Amino acid sequence: MKENIRHYDPIFKENAVRLSYLRNTVLETAEELGIKPKMLSKWRSTYLKFGKGSFPGLGIKRVYFENKEIYELEKKLTDSQLRLEILEKGLKYMHQGKQVLCNFIHQNRDKYPLLKMCEVLGASHSTYDLWTKQPYSKRETRIYLLRKEITSIFFEFKQHKGSILITRELFKRGFQISDTQVSFHMTQLGLRSIVKKKFKATTNSKHNLCIAPNILNRQFKVDKPSKVWVSDITYIRIDRRFSYLTVVIDLYDRKIIGWHLSSGLSTKVTTLPAFEKAIANRPVTEGLIFHSDKGIQYANKLFTNKLAEYNCKPSMSRTGDSYDNAVAESFFNTLKREAIYKQKRLLTTTEMKILIREYIEKWYNKKRIHSSLNYKSPEEFNNINHEKEEDTL
């Protein structure tokens, strides 16, 4: 059986050595004190070497008595350096709340003494112990989950949603919160929506072709599909040159029902193919209003005859007034902000077609919400209205 090792008090050791000098014999003193003579002899040898610094206690370095003051100063210097290092690394966490501070202490517990960190950073050891058992309070957990959801929505919608639109999306996901609170959390998270670029006119209306009146007159709210379609063309810079994107939008659900990317600006490669794709995707109703600007691609005989073939009523914006065709202009701004301007290099024609197809058909028409549709996507808006129509039958 292993023998238990007995530890003696430093004062007892020093007194035992002094007593042995008075008795002038180690054996007699050892018997009187109930210790082993060999142990007392060892204590005497240590005392002869170190003097009063012979028995400093467990865990304390033994030093020569005359060097004890230097040792104590070195000890204080080491402690001060340790405190300073802890303070330098932990200072920024001291005013970020209990959870953040305790998390810092927990992550550095193997590098610095736990009690020392708690003392220097002003956190009680009992607070830290409680945190290790329950790191997050109910309030902190709620805020963490809310901010996680806000961040998810922000990046899900390509970093272009502000606090108001994110609040609407949170409502749909079951969160009850004001847009002021959402704005505060976005500021804390460093989330800022990308600012829109200014509109740049691209229409050439200096011609003597067929000009239609402005029948639409900015009435962008429509109650039925294929009642009003709007169209426009924009320039897109690609590798070494420009491409031209033509779109056709149904005002009912703001869906892009036809689009075409071309390398030229003739009617045959811009408005005609876009219109043909639109009529292939959605039936044309009698008296459909087709609104555009006064560009030659819309005012020439080739295109106006195509509209007449389907009994469509042409409508055109006033010269130089982009607001008359605001829905199409808004789409182009959104497309460029959310997809094109985010590219790190100029794309090739093939790459740009893929990018625009992915954006329009998989994102814009299916997932991106619109304030004009009561914060629903075109697909969601159509599904809801289709169900209502079935219920009335």
Side-chain angles (χ1 to χ4, degrees), residues 22 148 174 178 197 206 208 214 227 285 288 304 323 352:
L22 292 174
K148 184 177 180 182
S178 69
K197 291 196 174 184
K206 295 179 180 180
N208 297 316
N214 186 4
K227 193 170 183 179
T285 59
L288 181 147
T304 54
Y323 293 102
M352 185 58 72

Side-chain angles (χ1 to χ4, degrees), residues 201-248:
T202 58
T203 301
N204 177 15
S205 57
K206 295 179 180 180
H207 55 75
N208 297 316
L209 302 177
C210 180
I211 301 299
N214 186 4
I215 300 173
L216 183 60
N217 196 26
R218 300 187 186 180
Q219 299 300 311
F220 300 127
K221 194 71 175 177
V222 178
D223 58 359
K224 292 180 181 179
S226 291
K227 193 170 183 179
V228 180
W229 292 356
V230 297
S231 181
D232 202 357
I233 304 172
T234 191
Y235 292 78
I236 295 176
R237 180 71 184 273
I238 61 171
D239 188 21
R240 299 183 182 179
R241 56 193 177 87
F242 285 98
S243 278
Y244 309 97
L245 176 65
T246 308
V247 298
V248 179

Side-chain angles (χ1 to χ4, degrees), residues 155-351:
F155 287 102
E156 180 182 343
F157 289 90
K158 314 296 183 184
Q159 305 177 43
H160 293 287
K161 271 187 178 292
S163 59
I164 295 177
L165 291 177
I166 289 180
T167 302
R168 301 297 184 274
E169 187 65 24
L170 286 169
F171 281 157
K172 292 169 65 176
R173 301 186 184 190
F175 289 85
Q176 296 298 318
I177 188 171
S178 69
D179 51 18
T180 304
Q181 290 174 302
V182 172
S183 178
F184 170 78
H185 289 302
M186 289 181 70
T187 301
Q188 294 295 307
L189 292 166
L191 303 179
R192 295 182 63 185
S193 58
I194 300 174
V195 180
K196 295 182 179 180
K197 291 196 174 184
K198 291 184 178 180
F199 164 78
K200 181 180 179 181
T202 58
T203 301
N204 177 15
S205 57
K206 295 179 180 180
H207 55 75
N208 297 316
L209 302 177
C210 180
I211 301 299
N214 186 4
I215 300 173
L216 183 60
N217 196 26
R218 300 187 186 180
Q219 299 300 311
F220 300 127
K221 194 71 175 177
V222 178
D223 58 359
K224 292 180 181 179
S226 291
K227 193 170 183 179
V228 180
W229 292 356
V230 297
S231 181
D232 202 357
I233 304 172
T234 191
Y235 292 78
I236 295 176
R237 180 71 184 273
I238 61 171
D239 188 21
R240 299 183 182 179
R241 56 193 177 87
F242 285 98
S243 278
Y244 309 97
L245 176 65
T246 308
V247 298
V248 179
I249 305 172
D250 192 326
L251 287 186
Y252 170 69
D253 54 6
R254 304 302 168 94
K255 185 175 182 178
I256 310 299
I257 56 175
W259 65 274
H260 188 73
L261 186 69
S262 62
S263 58
L265 273 172
S266 70
T267 302
K268 289 184 178 180
V269 296
T270 55
T271 53
L272 269 182
F275 182 75
E276 288 168 354
K277 288 180 181 177
I279 60 179
N281 290 326
R282 184 162 289 187
V284 179
T285 59
E286 184 71 25
L288 181 147
I289 297 174
F290 189 93
H291 184 80
S292 66
D293 56 35
K294 295 178 180 179
I296 57 176
Q297 295 85 0
Y298 296 102
N300 65 78
K301 271 191 174 184
L302 184 62
F303 190 74
T304 54
N305 287 342
K306 176 63 72 171
L307 293 181
E309 182 183 337
Y310 286 88
N311 295 319
C312 298
K313 296 178 182 178
S315 170
M316 292 184 178
S317 304
R318 286 161 290 192
T319 303
D321 196 333
S322 62
Y323 293 102
D324 282 350
N325 202 10
V327 174
E329 298 290 357
S330 176
F331 167 74
F332 286 144
N333 287 334
T334 301
L335 166 69
K336 291 176 180 179
R337 284 187 296 107
E338 296 186 355
I340 296 173
Y341 293 150
K342 294 178 71 174
Q343 304 306 308
K344 296 181 179 179
R345 61 175 177 83
L346 291 176
L347 304 184
T348 64
T349 302
T350 302
E351 289 172 332

Side-chain angles (χ1 to χ4, degrees), residues 168 172 221 369-377 381:
R168 301 297 184 274
K172 292 169 65 176
K221 194 71 175 177
I369 63 175
H370 299 258
S371 58
S372 59
L373 302 179
N374 196 22
Y375 300 98
K376 297 178 179 61
S377 68
F381 177 81

